[in-house]
């Protein structure tokens, strides 16, 4: 049972209102009797707060409970989802995905906008600082994304968007919210953020995309109930997020979790401040996994040949495209690294899975001996494809590498974790303003 704290009358009302609103958000429609039981508040207090919340437009009648006789006691109350609308956006070099949701987090509409194919020939670019799709194409992508966001909201019957949470690769300064473009991100990333922030009446929250994935795994995924855990993101690129004492940790410059730069003995060399060649990234990125699969003679699908449908990390497009692009099977099909890991699990490719698990355990052990999170979640498309089979192998290797007992779990939110985390983050911000409190 949750009980309200003693406070001044106005503060007590605000606390009681927030208790009721949080319960309606978590549990769905409730009767006044349910709210009295769950909060410990008196009948008059609950009646007053329900009247107050209905006047504010946050709560409305939602029919009657089938478990009770008809009448006032059976009346159900629910949050008014249309009281405010929000959006989550996942920005990658391949394009943009977005979700429009209501106050309760219910999805109202989705859209995906693909980035134009790079027009710069491999090896002729300026090191990645310029928009790989060309300035004109980048501007068009920004325009199409904003249009898609507004159209999706309109089709869902949403008015102005209260808050938009955006997940993007790169360092996000915790103090200023600025995206630190080290020269590796397409120029349209920052242009899109500027376009979103230019819209009046909408708050824009920027967060590192792996941090958003960590929020999703913590709240609705594999790390529910954990106060401490680390997420290792295994997608087209590599990253991590860290939750300690129930709080996401960003670091002084927003760089907590940049595990791709972890130096690893035996790789091609040491990483430096501009690229992670020779770091952990070079062992478990999508290109590295494809190369490992080819060496083990694995294919992504039955009967597809010798395994060279996975492009190796040394192919001529690697640096120009960047790891966010990944290697694709074809239109409408999953990335090859994800497909080959899934295929390895299905066919019991022990050699490949064990070597991949050892590589992942090397990075996980570095996190564990410093932070001791007690739990590591393998997230992203590849972490989800590997499932419990890959997670169990990583846990066994980790037990040999580190003296600290650490559970390894397969992520359950998959590649959609970034969008899920963005919606959760935007929803939290909206509800803090409308509900009050923390």
């Amino acid at each position: 049972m949750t009980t309200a704290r003693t406070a001044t009358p106005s503060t007590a009302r605000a606390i009681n209102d927030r208790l009721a609103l949080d319960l309606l958000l978590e549990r769905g429609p409730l009767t006044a009797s349910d709210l009295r039981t769950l909060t410990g508040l008196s009948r008059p207090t609950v009646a007053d707060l329900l009247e107050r919340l209905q006047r504010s437009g946050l709560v409305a009648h939602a029919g009657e409970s089938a478990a009770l006789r008809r009448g006032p006691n059976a009346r159900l109350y629910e949050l008014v989802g249309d009281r405010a609308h929000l959006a989550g956006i996942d920005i990658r070099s391949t394009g943009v995905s977005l979700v429009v949701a209501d106050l309760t987090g219910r999805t109202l509409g989705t859209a995906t906008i693909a980035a134009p194919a790079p027009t710069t020939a491999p090896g002729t670019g300026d090191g990645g600082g310029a928009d790989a799709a060309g300035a004109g194409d980048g501007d068009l992508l920004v325009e199409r994304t904003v249009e898609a966001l507004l159209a999706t909201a309109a089709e869902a019957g949403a008015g102005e968007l209260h808050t938009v949470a955006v997940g993007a690769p790169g360092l996000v300064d915790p103090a200023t919210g600025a995206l630190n473009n080290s020269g590796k991100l397409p120029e349209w990333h920052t242009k899109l953020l500027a376009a979103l922030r230019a819209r009046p009446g909408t708050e824009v929250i920027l967060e590192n995309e792996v941090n958003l994935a960590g929020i999703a795994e913590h709240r609705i995924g594999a790390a529910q109930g954990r106060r401490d855990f680390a997420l290792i993101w295994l997608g087209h690129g590599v990253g991590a997020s860290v939750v300690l004492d129930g709080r996401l940790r960003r670091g002084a410059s927003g760089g907590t979790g940049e595990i791709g730069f972890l130096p690893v003995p035996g790789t091609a060399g040491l990483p430096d401040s501009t690229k992670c060649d020779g770091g952990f990234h070079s062992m478990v990125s999508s290109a590295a996994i494809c190369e490992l699969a080819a060496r083990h003679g694995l294919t992504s699908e039955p009967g597809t040949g010798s395994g060279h449908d996975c492009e190796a990390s040394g192919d001529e497009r690697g640096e120009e495209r960047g790891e966010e692009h990944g290697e694709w099977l074809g239109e409408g099909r999953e990335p090859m690294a994800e497909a080959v890991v899934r295929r390895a699990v299905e066919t019991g490719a022990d050699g490949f899975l064990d070597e991949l698990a050892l590589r992942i355990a090397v990075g996980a052990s570095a996190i564990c001996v410093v932070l001791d999170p007690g739990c590591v979640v393998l997230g992203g498309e590849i972490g989800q494809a590997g499932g419990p089979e890959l997670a169990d192998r990583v846990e066994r290797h980790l037990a040999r590498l580190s003296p600290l007992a650490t559970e390894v779990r397969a992520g359950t939110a998959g590649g959609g974790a970034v969008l899920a985390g963005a919606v959760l983050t935007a929803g939290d911000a909206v509800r803090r303003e409308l509900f009050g409190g923390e």
Side-chain angles (χ1 to χ4, degrees), residues 116 118-120 126 128-139 141-142 185-189 191:
T119 56
T120 304
D126 62 358
D131 192 339
D137 288 341
D139 291 342
L141 179 59
V142 170
L185 300 178
E187 187 178 351
W188 64 262
H189 282 205
K191 288 184 176 181

Side-chain angles (χ1 to χ4, degrees), residues 283 287-299 306-308 310 312 340 351-352 355-356 359:
M283 297 174 63
I289 291 173
C290 282
E291 187 177 57
L292 178 64
R295 183 154 55 78
H296 281 268
L298 286 173
T299 60
S306 64
H308 294 289
C310 268
V340 80
F352 166 79
E355 187 170 348
L356 176 59
R359 291 183 178 193

Side-chain angles (χ1 to χ4, degrees), residues 218 226-229 242-250:
H218 190 212
R226 297 279 322 183
R227 287 191 58 77
D228 305 292
F229 84 100
V242 176
V243 171
L244 298 176
D245 295 326
R247 294 177 55 199
L248 178 70
R249 305 295 174 163
R250 296 178 176 85

Side-chain angles (χ1 to χ4, degrees), residues 103-308:
L103 178 62
T104 69
R106 180 173 63 94
T107 296
L108 301 177
T110 63
T112 300
I113 306 90
T119 56
T120 304
T124 63
D126 62 358
D131 192 339
D137 288 341
D139 291 342
L140 181 60
L141 179 59
V142 170
E143 181 181 334
R144 286 177 175 172
T145 298
V146 174
E147 289 177 351
L149 178 63
L150 298 178
T152 302
E155 289 171 6
E160 288 294 324
L161 293 172
H162 183 288
T163 301
V164 177
V166 181
L171 304 184
V172 178
D173 190 310
T176 66
L179 179 65
N180 178 6
N181 189 342
S182 62
K184 292 294 185 182
L185 300 178
E187 187 178 351
W188 64 262
H189 282 205
T190 51
K191 288 184 176 181
L192 176 56
L193 290 169
L196 292 171
R197 285 171 167 160
R199 294 197 58 78
T202 299
E203 179 185 1
V204 177
I205 301 171
L206 176 64
E207 182 61 87
N208 173 269
E209 88 276 36
V210 180
N211 281 344
L212 290 179
I215 290 170
E217 292 288 3
H218 190 212
R219 298 268 291 274
I220 61 174
Q224 288 184 81
R226 297 279 322 183
R227 287 191 58 77
D228 305 292
F229 84 100
L231 168 74
I232 296 181
W233 178 268
L234 301 167
H236 307 315
V238 181
S241 64
V242 176
V243 171
L244 298 176
D245 295 326
R247 294 177 55 199
L248 178 70
R249 305 295 174 163
R250 296 178 176 85
S253 61
T256 296
E258 289 295 319
I259 194 173
F261 285 89
L262 175 72
V264 179
T267 53
L270 293 176
D272 62 35
S273 61
T274 61
K275 61 182 184 297
C276 44
D277 296 351
F280 183 57
H281 172 275
S282 68
M283 297 174 63
V284 295
S285 66
S286 61
I289 291 173
C290 282
E291 187 177 57
L292 178 64
R295 183 154 55 78
H296 281 268
L298 286 173
T299 60
S300 56
E301 292 184 329
T304 54
S306 64
H308 294 289

Side-chain angles (χ1 to χ4, degrees), residues 234 283-284 289 292-299 337-362 378 382-397 400:
L234 301 167
M283 297 174 63
V284 295
I289 291 173
L292 178 64
R295 183 154 55 78
H296 281 268
L298 286 173
T299 60
E338 178 185 352
V340 80
V341 171
R342 195 180 309 281
R343 180 68 178 156
V345 171
E346 292 171 353
T347 60
D350 290 336
F352 166 79
L353 289 172
D354 206 50
E355 187 170 348
L356 176 59
L358 177 57
R359 291 183 178 193
I360 297 169
V362 168
L378 304 184
I382 292 168
Q384 186 179 46
E389 174 65 26
L390 180 61
D392 289 346
R393 290 171 186 264
V394 173
E395 184 173 317
R396 290 196 294 270
H397 282 298
R400 291 193 291 270

